[in-house]
Amino acid sequence: MPEFPGLEDFKGEIYRAAKWPHEEVIFAGKRVGLVGTGSTGIQITPVVAETAAELNVFQRTPSFSMPMRNTAFDAEYTAELKRNYRAIRAVARASNLGGVRPVTSRPFFSVTPAQRLSLMEDAWKQGGLMFLGVFSDLLSNPEANEQVAEFVRGKIGEVVKDPDTAERLKPRGYPIFARRPCLDTNYYETYNLPHVHLIDCLADPIERVTEKGIRTGTREVELDALILATGYDGLTGALLAFEVEGRDGRRINDKWKDGSSSYLGLMMEGFPNLFMICGPNGPSALANIVTLNEQNVDWICTVIDRMRGEGLATVEPTAEAEAQWMEEVKSLATHTLVSQAKTWYVGANVAGKPQGLTIYTGGFARYSEACNLAFTQDSTALTYDGQRILAHHD
């Protein structure tokens, strides 16, 4: 929950995006406040605006959002996809992002300004995350990144009719795609509706919640319902939410007090037989989650099958292997612009959380190769029953 003073005093309805009710929520005829404009808030805004009498969106940091442009597949194309599904998935497992979105080796400044504009216009028209595959250096070249960001800001200005609202919706001060890239359907268009209002919390911060609504530095906004799209403790929150005790009474909360560390984002030294899926030091949020989870599960099953076949009771990574992996994670992080934004990627959205990009940024394919090295003859990464046992090639 966000730490707003007076939240318990509010007499209206309170909804949390992370714990949405299973029953239908009716906003028709109500004055609704929405706090948070990350990916979830961006998806909530147009839907609530369809029925609410009034929608006030409280924005702290604006996000870059791309049009989703969802379309229905016709029967012929669906059948074609299914015929080729196995091959498509094989390509995804060998790709840098674990998916099949087009990628390029073309640096931004290797093509003329007119060609760049044409490529960006096409990516905007196609929608989704096509921008991520248009230029190879988008997350490593600051000047290229800023030009792409300015193109997207221009699109926001084209959509939103009120110049002041449009300007407040344009993200500045951090690289595009350094925060989670959002996708939307009519998000910016929603601000053209007369009953939808943007409240810039950088210019007019929330001071407290009252019985009637939200009080900012300049006014009180009366509300019947309040939606909180805030507060996701990404990457580590799930494991730190309960006590996990390892060898000799060690706790994950103590091990991670200065930041998460693990081997491949899959196991931790000192915590035998504790397997993590989509752990904080793997590709996690920067890869296709379905492909990554499948790869993680396959790796874990390989380890467990080996233990069962040889009558082994425990497995854990060595301290040396974990330290080497974390050194690679940290080294790679210095080469990407992703670390330059205050986001949940780096722990900036949770008070007191250690700061830093601990996601593996070397790409899914390279990550998979690193995982396979744990099973080679000369691997010293894993110990079984407290001792190193050479892996076998099947």
Side-chain angles (χ1 to χ4, degrees):
M1 292 288 283
E3 296 181 358
F4 293 133
L7 190 60
E8 66 283 356
D9 298 330
F10 183 58
K11 300 300 185 183
E13 306 161 9
I14 296 180
Y15 300 99
R16 294 180 63 190
K19 294 185 177 181
W20 200 258
H22 290 280
E23 63 274 9
E24 183 182 5
V25 180
I26 305 298
F27 291 116
K30 295 177 182 176
R31 300 165 299 175
V32 182
L34 169 64
V35 178
T37 54
S39 182
T40 306
I42 283 173
Q43 294 176 47
I44 288 174
T45 296
V47 179
V48 173
E50 290 177 359
T51 59
E54 185 179 17
L55 175 61
N56 295 278
V57 180
F58 294 83
Q59 171 191 273
R60 183 178 59 183
T61 304
S63 299
F64 286 100
S65 188
M66 312 291 128
M68 197 175 298
R69 310 224 192 274
N70 279 344
T71 57
F73 292 163
D74 59 36
E76 183 178 352
Y77 181 57
T78 300
E80 188 177 67
L81 277 176
K82 291 182 177 180
R83 286 197 307 272
N84 292 279
Y85 189 68
R86 191 178 298 276
I88 292 171
R89 292 304 309 281
V91 170
R93 287 191 290 271
S95 74
N96 195 45
L97 296 173
V100 292
R101 184 169 64 248
V103 295
T104 183
S105 59
R106 172 182 53 228
F108 184 85
F109 293 106
S110 69
V111 294
T112 66
Q115 289 172 320
R116 292 175 221 153
L117 180 60
S118 177
L119 289 165
M120 289 189 288
E121 289 285 1
D122 184 61
W124 184 265
K125 187 165 125 185
Q126 290 189 58
L129 294 177
M130 296 300 293
F131 263 104
L132 283 173
V134 175
F135 304 108
S136 61
D137 54 353
L138 183 57
L139 287 173
S140 59
N141 186 323
E143 187 176 348
N145 185 284
E146 176 57 23
Q147 290 204 26
V148 173
E150 190 57 29
F151 172 86
V152 175
R153 293 185 195 112
K155 289 298 182 183
I156 296 171
E158 290 177 12
V159 173
V160 182
K161 296 176 181 177
D162 178 65
D164 181 67
T165 301
E167 189 59 34
R168 294 178 187 278
L169 286 166
K170 295 177 183 179
R172 299 188 187 278
Y174 65 88
I176 187 172
F177 300 128
R179 289 171 65 88
R180 183 184 183 185
C182 301
L183 298 176
D184 73 85
T185 300
N186 297 326
Y187 174 65
Y188 294 117
E189 290 83 350
T190 300
Y191 289 99
N192 293 328
L193 300 174
H195 66 290
V196 177
H197 313 292
L198 179 69
I199 299 172
D200 182 355
C201 294
L202 292 178
D204 192 14
I206 294 175
E207 291 188 347
R208 66 177 294 109
V209 179
T210 67
E211 289 187 3
K212 297 180 179 180
I214 290 180
R215 182 184 301 154
T216 69
T218 63
R219 55 181 166 154
E220 182 175 23
V221 181
E222 295 190 358
L223 305 169
D224 302 305
L226 178 60
I227 302 172
L228 303 173
T230 59
Y232 296 93
D233 190 353
L235 305 175
T236 60
L239 274 176
L240 295 179
F242 62 100
E243 292 291 333
V244 180
E245 188 173 302
R247 194 183 300 280
D248 301 323
R250 295 176 67 187
R251 300 185 312 147
I252 292 182
N253 300 63
D254 296 327
K255 183 180 177 73
W256 285 0
K257 70 180 188 306
D258 297 320
S260 63
S261 64
S262 67
Y263 176 59
L264 304 172
L266 288 164
M267 301 191 73
M268 288 183 286
E269 178 271 330
F271 294 81
N273 295 354
L274 175 61
F275 299 104
M276 298 179 289
I277 295 173
C278 196
N281 311 126
S284 61
L286 302 182
N288 183 294
I289 295 295
V290 174
T291 309
L292 174 61
N293 285 354
E294 289 175 347
Q295 186 273 344
N296 283 182
V297 169
D298 287 344
W299 190 92
I300 293 167
C301 288
T302 298
V303 173
I304 293 174
D305 282 347
R306 162 138 190 227
M307 294 172 67
R308 284 177 173 171
E310 300 188 18
L312 301 168
T314 66
V315 61
E316 66 181 286
T318 63
E320 294 75 16
E322 183 174 303
Q324 289 173 4
W325 177 250
M326 291 309 302
E327 184 59 35
E328 180 172 1
V329 170
K330 293 174 183 176
S331 176
L332 288 169
T334 64
H335 300 290
T336 176
L337 300 177
V338 173
S339 61
Q340 295 186 16
K342 294 181 179 181
T343 71
W344 61 264
Y345 286 169
V346 299
N349 67 319
V350 178
K353 187 170 183 176
Q355 304 278 300
L357 182 64
T358 59
I359 301 175
Y360 179 78
T361 56
F364 177 77
R366 182 172 167 180
Y367 170 76
S368 295
E369 292 174 4
C371 290
N372 291 335
L373 289 176
F375 303 125
T376 59
Q377 282 284 1
D378 58 351
S379 173
T380 59
L382 300 176
T383 60
Y384 299 87
D385 290 358
Q387 59 183 320
R388 178 180 168 230
I389 301 174
L390 286 176
H392 298 295
H393 291 289
D394 294 328

